[in-house]
Amino acid sequence: MPFYCDQHLNLKKAESNGYAIVLDFHTLTSEQLRYSLHQLLHNSTYRENIKRFSSIFHDRPMGPRETALYWIDYVIRHKGARHLRAAGLDLKWYQFYLLDVIALVVAAVVVCIGVLVLLVRWILRQIGSEQTKQKVN
């Protein structure tokens, strides 16, 4: 399911960028397929958009093979390149899942609610004592 979601988002992005048409396989009709193919083949905006994105994608200082070889050599030269590791790998599990932050926020909310409850009780006591004073007089 996660692969499908990622793939679906990529297809929607391609469609919004103007170089693809997304069709739902479950509700696909021959007319939709025919119309979509006609649009892709004969509408010049799709061709222009895909050429533009293709040139952006291929504008690289090195090809994919040279890039892969460079990074493999880089990791070998630097004995694993520990300096490129994600900082999250060095966190404790409760920090990684932000449990310390969540605990702090929950504690702050509990304290605020406690102060609010005490304040409301005090105000109600003050109002109650004023009413009993008025009844006595």
Side-chain angles (χ1 to χ4, degrees), residues 18-21 23 33-47:
Y19 60 86
I21 297 175
L23 300 172
L33 182 61
R34 184 177 292 121
Y35 175 77
S36 300
L37 286 173
H38 180 74
Q39 286 294 316
L40 288 173
L41 293 174
H42 300 292
N43 190 344
S44 63
T45 57
Y46 289 104
R47 182 176 289 116

Side-chain angles (χ1 to χ4, degrees), residues 12-58:
K12 285 295 186 185
K13 185 176 179 183
E15 184 177 41
S16 67
N17 286 331
Y19 60 86
I21 297 175
V22 177
L23 300 172
D24 185 15
F25 179 73
H26 300 291
T27 60
L28 182 64
T29 64
S30 62
E31 288 301 316
Q32 287 177 328
L33 182 61
R34 184 177 292 121
Y35 175 77
S36 300
L37 286 173
H38 180 74
Q39 286 294 316
L40 288 173
L41 293 174
H42 300 292
N43 190 344
S44 63
T45 57
Y46 289 104
R47 182 176 289 116
E48 292 165 6
N49 287 335
I50 197 65
K51 283 183 180 179
R52 184 168 48 92
F53 278 94
S54 176
S55 69
I56 290 170
F57 179 76
H58 287 99

Side-chain angles (χ1 to χ4, degrees), residues 3-136:
F3 175 73
Y4 171 75
C5 292
D6 291 343
Q7 185 180 15
H8 186 69
L9 291 175
N10 289 337
L11 290 175
K12 285 295 186 185
K13 185 176 179 183
E15 184 177 41
S16 67
N17 286 331
Y19 60 86
I21 297 175
V22 177
L23 300 172
D24 185 15
F25 179 73
H26 300 291
T27 60
L28 182 64
T29 64
S30 62
E31 288 301 316
Q32 287 177 328
L33 182 61
R34 184 177 292 121
Y35 175 77
S36 300
L37 286 173
H38 180 74
Q39 286 294 316
L40 288 173
L41 293 174
H42 300 292
N43 190 344
S44 63
T45 57
Y46 289 104
R47 182 176 289 116
E48 292 165 6
N49 287 335
I50 197 65
K51 283 183 180 179
R52 184 168 48 92
F53 278 94
S54 176
S55 69
I56 290 170
F57 179 76
H58 287 99
D59 187 14
R60 301 175 181 201
M62 294 184 286
R65 179 178 295 163
E66 290 82 16
T67 303
L69 290 174
Y70 169 78
W71 284 110
I72 290 170
D73 290 341
Y74 183 89
V75 169
I76 291 171
R77 274 195 313 268
H78 296 284
K79 296 179 176 57
R82 292 190 52 81
H83 59 281
L84 294 179
R85 288 182 51 214
L89 296 173
D90 298 326
L91 294 175
K92 294 176 177 55
W93 66 272
Y94 59 87
Q95 291 173 326
F96 184 78
Y97 292 110
L98 296 175
L99 296 181
D100 52 344
V101 175
I102 292 170
L104 181 67
V105 170
V106 168
V109 168
V110 167
V111 167
C112 288
I113 290 173
V115 168
L116 188 63
V117 166
L118 291 175
L119 185 65
V120 168
R121 282 185 184 173
W122 181 77
I123 290 172
L124 290 176
R125 236 183 272 134
Q126 295 299 322
I127 292 173
S129 66
E130 288 178 10
Q131 288 177 351
T132 55
K133 286 180 185 178
Q134 288 177 354
K135 286 183 183 178
V136 172

